[in-house]
Amino acid sequence: MPVIGWVRRLVLGCDRIEPSDSEAALQRAREAREQAEARQPIVSAVAAKLRHAREENHFRERIEAAFRGAP
């Protein structure tokens, strides 16, 4: 618990204090990071497929251009 939590506990004299907005935001950010890390293998696989398709299209365009007489 951050220092401010201990100060609140001492001043208010209670054992359970609701998390502050910043603590809640930090928790949401942690959860979002964990979810993003869990999706990383899927994202990498899709990105690899898209890169491969883009390379195929590039080579196809170059071959078509060569047949049309372009340099």
Side-chain angles (χ1 to χ4, degrees):
M1 177 181 291
V3 175
I4 194 74
W6 287 103
V7 172
R8 284 185 198 159
R9 186 176 286 182
L10 289 172
V11 171
L12 298 176
C14 59
D15 291 334
R16 179 76 176 124
I17 297 175
E18 296 299 319
S20 67
D21 290 340
S22 62
E23 291 169 342
L26 180 59
Q27 182 60 33
R28 287 191 306 272
R30 286 180 181 150
E31 291 170 359
R33 187 191 76 223
E34 290 171 0
Q35 291 173 356
E37 288 173 352
R39 289 189 305 264
Q40 183 58 36
I42 297 168
V43 171
S44 295
V46 170
K49 288 180 184 180
L50 292 173
R51 269 193 305 276
H52 182 68
R54 185 183 66 214
E55 289 172 3
E56 285 180 348
N57 287 340
H58 172 71
F59 289 122
R60 185 192 58 173
E61 290 172 2
R62 298 271 315 254
I63 291 170
E64 289 174 353
F67 281 119
R68 287 192 307 261

